[in-house]
Amino acid sequence: MKLRAGGARLMEAFLDMMSAERGASVNTLAAYRRDLLDFHGFLAGRGIDARRAARDDLKTLSCETLDGGIAGSSQARRLSALRQFFGFLYAEGIRADDPPMPSMRPNVAGPCRKSCREKTWRC
């Protein structure tokens, strides 16, 4: 996937910060890069970028993650990466807000998955 220049710069700045300030391992950085590339691809399909993503976009992505057959540990890492990415954008003044991430728990069964399919949010 090819990112727009702005999206690539934001992602690389975030990953640089994770490495330098938080001491993230090479494997963590590689996983976060994959998660952020997936996220940017998802947003591009909706015609928006991370600067304008709203809570509803994050809800939709979370539902797709739950329904995508992704391992629970990968779901948790993806949500963690996005929380930290948006916190970074807010702290750097790139976004005026830090959109609250949906409180999704990996491998949730029952009403949460059903609510995702019905496009309601009860998690």
Side-chain angles (χ1 to χ4, degrees):
M1 175 198 153
K2 184 170 169 64
L3 282 178
R4 292 182 184 164
R9 280 193 299 271
L10 291 176
M11 184 178 74
E12 289 307 319
F14 168 72
L15 293 171
D16 287 347
M17 180 278 299
M18 291 297 294
S19 175
E21 295 179 18
R22 298 191 185 169
S25 73
V26 172
N27 290 339
T28 297
L29 294 172
Y32 276 25
R33 178 174 277 109
R34 284 189 306 272
D35 294 337
L36 292 172
L37 284 170
D38 287 347
F39 175 64
H40 284 288
F42 167 81
L43 292 178
R46 297 172 74 90
I48 57 176
D49 66 16
R51 291 178 189 97
R52 293 189 300 275
R55 181 170 165 75
D56 285 343
D57 299 312
L58 301 174
K59 287 180 190 178
T60 301
L61 178 64
S62 294
C63 283
E64 288 181 10
T65 298
L66 277 175
D67 288 337
I70 297 171
S73 58
S74 295
Q75 292 173 24
R77 186 204 60 241
R78 178 178 285 187
L79 292 173
S80 175
L82 291 175
R83 283 186 190 102
Q84 292 179 73
F85 179 65
F86 278 103
F88 169 78
L89 296 180
Y90 176 71
E92 295 294 314
I94 296 166
R95 284 188 62 110
D97 66 342
D98 183 1
M101 293 294 294
S103 63
M104 303 294 291
R105 292 169 292 150
N107 293 329
V108 174
C112 185
R113 284 189 188 268
K114 182 179 178 188
S115 68
C116 284
R117 282 188 223 99
E118 294 170 354
K119 303 296 183 208
T120 61
W121 200 255
R122 294 188 295 259
C123 301

